[in-house]
Amino acid sequence: MCGIIGYVGADQVVPVVLDGLRRLEYRGYDSAGMAVIGDDGIRILRAAGKLRNLEQRAYHEPLYGTTGVGHTRWATHGAPTEANAHPQVDGRGEIAVVHNGILENYAALRRELLDDGVELASDTDTELIAQLLGRETGCLAERVLRVLPRLQGQYAVVTVRSAEPDTVVAFRQGPPLVIGIGRGENLVASDVTAILHRTREVVYLDNGEVAVVRADRVELLDAAGGPVERPPETLDWDAGRVEKGGYRHFMLKEIFEQPDAIRNTVRAHLDAERSGVIVDGLGIPADRLDRLRRIHLVACGTSWHSCLVGKFILERLTGLPTEVDYASEYRYREPLLGDDLLVVGVTQSGETADTLSAMELAAAGGALLATVCNVRGSSSWRLATARMLTQAGPEIGVASTKAFTTQLVALTVLALALRRARGLADRLDEQLVRELQRLPLAVEEVLRTDRALYRRGTEILSEATDSLYLGRGILYPIALEGALKLKEISYLHAEGYPAGEMKHGPIALVTDGFPVVAVATATATRDKLLGNLMEVRARGATVLAVAEPEADDVAEIAELVLPVPTVHPLLQPVVAVVPLQLLAYNVAVELGHDVDQPRNLAKSVTVE
Ligand code: AGP
């Protein structure tokens, strides 16, 4: 959702804030703004639309000061206009607030302020926070502590006050905030990508806490104003990983980073010497392992697709019944919980609001909580008892790619670990470990595919308005993921379906030239899939398939085959998704869309 940066130090704040916002723009890009404390009080600059509009304004209307905040918005309350952009200010223009989240008591607070004669300048819930702070007395931290109990919902807020030009105050309930500890300067941000190039020493703010940030010190307070001690952590990401590195888009760079990301994830969790899984690394307490009878996987979007694949792998390797839920449904469906249950929250960011709520519900119901997550120190990371870090590195493109394939690897390792702990390990485990180690080479092979094939595929898809993606068994989630990738960045309608279900409705869509993308690598159900493809072909469909180059039976049906090497059936989703990522990328570029910042989307969905 929204990106936030705050700075207090010796440097001019405008370049620091703009640079931070550029790195955060992937979180939201409806409008942007900043507040700078200068000699004559707080000055605000805001602009609707992309960050470049704010940059232009900052160029023409320079602001000077060494303390300030910036924000890039994903609209919740109010249209993405300049008036609704952040920062929002109190009635006297002395306090500026940037905010990520949603105030659930927005209507009541707004009514109260209007009844009191307060004139509101925007439709935002954020302005209400600024107005409430402005009506309090005392220093900014004291005002925050008094306003906190009045706020319901989710918020990560950073605020400055003209009378305290050396202080930034931050507080959160839900969406994340991280404090970067620098030399003679300190920063606050909605995520570490905004500050990595200035410092790798960070402190994560916990829910209900307040941080009073000055250039030479950071004080953490609990909601009652009592001191909180928490030493900084050192991040293991380096700043170069959040640059495009010569690629046209982050998404393309991230697709090509997959061999390394997979290699690093495999290495982090497997002991190559003993060709075994490092069970201890998962942190599952032994007594809980004995009691384990069921698994629930919860996630959203692409991470949910990795859970669908994970179900096949976990059930096959552990024999434990595994259910997959959309986190947004799980949290309200009263699932059957208990201490025989392992609940795994799968999330790239570790900050997806629905996934976190589903995990909290599961923990409250006695389940053992695990997470497969790409961000060490994130909220899901801190919530879970057992943790598996995917080593994808920062993922900036809104369309998730390398986080997905590393999640598949992590879920396979989790399954192997549970299998071993349950005494089920046999030669299959050794084979899978070898195959996992070979997997980066297989993905490299996919990435070397002749570009001409993708040009043809791109032509077919970009000339259509709709398409159907089909797969069966462990590959049907890959059809869903391929369709989601296309939808997200090309804005073309695509529907993913288990191929066997196609006859029960979607086949009505198929007419002459209708594109059907099939995930057709060699699994036990490939013959069945080929039967389904014959059915759509008979109705005029143009079939594009992902398959092994030697699969003549697929080549006979498909207009175009995007080749992938042969890997173990449980690992086929990892190689099969890569051509679909490339296809979606190429279609979006062909149609002239902003691949890294697609319409209406945000990288990290920190509100319900
Ligand atoms: C993926 O391309 C999407 N941007 C989206 O579906 C994403 O996977 C989803 O919002 C979940 O995010 P998370 O993995 O950070 O929890």
Side-chain angles (χ1 to χ4, degrees):
M1 301 272 111
C2 308
I4 290 178
I5 173 101
Y7 175 84
V8 50
D11 287 351
Q12 280 300 316
V13 71
V14 171
V16 179
V17 164
L18 287 176
D19 186 47
L21 292 181
R22 221 168 288 127
R23 294 165 195 272
L24 287 172
E25 205 185 3
Y26 74 105
R27 292 181 68 101
Y29 27 81
D30 292 339
S31 58
M34 61 180 154
V36 173
I37 307 189
D39 294 339
D40 51 351
I42 289 185
R43 298 273 308 277
I44 307 281
L45 274 190
R46 296 185 302 212
K50 294 241 174 181
L51 180 61
R52 58 178 170 270
N53 299 345
L54 179 70
E55 288 172 326
Q56 269 169 18
R57 287 207 59 188
Y59 179 76
H60 293 293
E61 300 164 54
L63 298 181
Y64 301 98
T66 58
T67 300
V69 293
H71 187 267
T72 171
R73 180 168 186 245
W74 189 88
T76 56
H77 288 80
T81 58
E82 185 179 329
N84 288 333
H86 302 197
Q88 292 287 322
V89 291
D90 70 318
R92 285 192 289 269
E94 291 171 356
I95 292 174
V97 168
V98 295
H99 164 219
N100 175 23
I102 293 180
L103 286 192
E104 283 164 7
N105 55 340
Y106 163 79
L109 289 175
R110 191 175 165 87
R111 172 62 31 226
E112 176 192 318
L113 288 167
L114 289 172
D115 287 350
D116 275 4
V118 175
E119 283 182 26
L120 296 174
S122 77
D123 305 322
T124 65
D125 48 357
T126 308
E127 186 187 356
L128 309 183
I129 303 173
Q131 296 287 3
L132 289 172
L133 290 171
R135 285 151 61 95
E136 295 292 338
T137 54
C139 72
L140 191 51
E142 288 165 348
R143 291 170 189 237
V144 164
L145 288 168
R146 281 200 293 273
V147 166
L148 264 180
R150 309 222 44 212
L151 306 180
Q152 287 166 18
Q154 299 143 40
Y155 47 80
V157 174
V158 181
T159 176
V160 286
R161 177 173 175 241
S162 53
E164 297 170 68
D166 59 350
T167 307
V168 171
V169 177
F171 52 101
R172 70 167 282 223
Q173 182 63 48
L177 280 177
V178 61
I179 299 164
I181 311 294
R183 289 211 182 127
E185 63 180 28
N186 289 308
L187 301 103
V188 189
S190 46
D191 74 68
V192 295
T193 51
I195 55 174
L196 256 184
H197 59 298
R198 294 188 86 92
T199 180
R200 283 163 59 191
E201 299 290 300
V202 299
V203 176
Y204 291 95
L205 201 61
D206 266 345
N207 278 338
E209 288 178 351
V210 177
V212 183
V213 183
R214 300 194 177 87
D216 58 350
R217 63 187 191 283
V218 174
E219 272 173 87
L220 297 188
L221 307 173
D222 61 25
V228 175
E229 292 301 326
R230 184 169 314 121
E233 299 172 33
T234 305
L235 296 169
D236 54 6
W237 287 359
D238 69 70
R241 298 179 77 180
V242 289
E243 309 286 347
K244 281 192 198 144
Y247 285 90
R248 187 167 167 196
H249 295 103
F250 277 110
M251 182 182 176
L252 188 63
K253 175 178 176 243
E254 288 158 6
I255 290 173
F256 275 82
E257 281 175 345
Q258 290 180 109
D260 278 345
I262 292 169
R263 196 171 283 120
N264 293 338
T265 305
V266 171
R267 278 193 193 138
H269 300 294
L270 289 179
D271 180 347
E273 296 277 299
R274 293 187 289 128
S275 57
V277 178
I278 305 172
V279 186
D280 296 348
L282 306 185
I284 301 181
D287 62 317
R288 296 303 301 260
L289 272 174
D290 295 342
R291 263 179 284 158
L292 210 62
R293 297 288 175 273
R294 310 176 284 143
I295 301 174
H296 288 176
L297 304 174
V298 292
C300 304
T302 286
S303 298
W304 181 74
H305 294 155
S306 77
C307 295
L308 292 179
V309 174
K311 170 182 165 72
F312 282 88
I313 299 172
L314 282 157
E315 289 194 337
R316 165 75 181 81
L317 295 182
T318 69
L320 293 168
T322 302
E323 287 181 34
V324 179
D325 269 86
Y326 288 115
S328 53
E329 290 295 320
Y330 192 79
R331 59 187 289 193
Y332 295 114
R333 85 160 165 86
E334 298 180 21
L336 298 175
L337 303 170
D339 69 356
D340 62 337
L341 176 67
L342 171 69
V343 174
V344 189
V346 179
T347 164
Q348 183 282 130
S349 59
E351 303 296 350
T352 300
D354 285 321
T355 306
L356 295 175
S357 298
M359 289 171 70
E360 277 161 7
L361 174 85
L368 171 65
L369 209 55
T371 189
V372 169
C373 175
N374 195 39
V375 184
R376 190 189 292 280
S378 61
S379 301
S380 80
W381 183 262
R382 282 175 292 145
L383 211 55
T385 306
R387 300 142 163 182
M388 286 199 75
L389 191 69
T390 47
Q391 303 274 342
E395 192 180 65
I396 306 294
V398 165
S400 184
T401 52
K402 61 177 181 171
F404 177 68
T405 42
T406 53
Q407 282 169 354
L408 299 182
V409 167
L411 287 167
T412 310
V413 174
L414 174 65
L416 286 169
L418 293 175
R419 179 175 164 88
R420 173 170 292 218
R422 290 166 59 76
L424 300 171
D426 60 15
R427 296 194 48 196
L428 171 62
D429 298 59
E430 287 166 32
Q431 188 195 353
L432 277 170
V433 168
R434 276 197 307 277
E435 291 264 347
L436 279 168
Q437 286 163 338
R438 221 169 55 78
L439 202 51
L441 300 176
V443 174
E444 274 164 15
E445 201 176 319
V446 180
L447 294 172
R448 283 197 298 271
T449 304
D450 184 359
R451 295 280 143 249
L453 291 176
Y454 284 98
R455 274 199 291 281
R456 179 72 195 112
T458 302
E459 247 170 55
I460 295 171
L461 285 178
S462 53
E463 283 167 11
T465 48
D466 301 275
S467 57
L468 200 53
Y469 280 61
L470 300 178
R472 290 195 80 131
I474 196 168
L475 296 172
Y476 115 73
I478 299 306
L480 303 192
E481 175 59 9
L484 179 69
K485 285 285 93 77
L486 189 76
K487 270 185 284 213
E488 281 188 296
I489 58 174
S490 74
Y491 316 145
L492 295 175
H493 174 243
E495 202 159 327
Y497 241 81
E501 256 311 283
M502 188 249 332
K503 279 202 286 285
H504 301 281
I507 198 166
L509 295 171
V510 178
T511 54
D512 234 13
F514 184 90
V516 172
V517 181
V519 192
T521 55
T523 60
T525 48
R526 174 148 84 188
D527 286 350
K528 306 270 176 215
L529 174 73
L530 294 188
N532 303 136
L533 295 182
M534 291 302 284
E535 290 156 4
V536 292
R537 258 272 305 265
R539 286 157 180 86
T542 301
V543 176
L544 284 67
V546 174
E548 297 79 5
E550 60 279 6
D552 294 337
D553 45 0
V554 179
E556 270 172 32
I557 300 172
E559 166 102 12
L560 174 72
V561 175
L562 298 168
V564 293
T566 306
V567 298
H568 189 281
L570 289 181
L571 301 179
Q572 282 178 15
V574 178
V575 292
V577 77
V578 178
L580 303 185
Q581 297 168 342
L582 283 168
L583 205 52
Y585 173 81
N586 283 305
V587 172
V589 170
E590 172 71 18
L591 296 176
H593 297 315
D594 187 341
V595 174
D596 285 334
Q597 294 174 0
R599 185 171 71 198
N600 300 340
L601 297 180
K603 182 67 184 166
S604 179
V605 184
T606 52
V607 293
E608 187 175 348

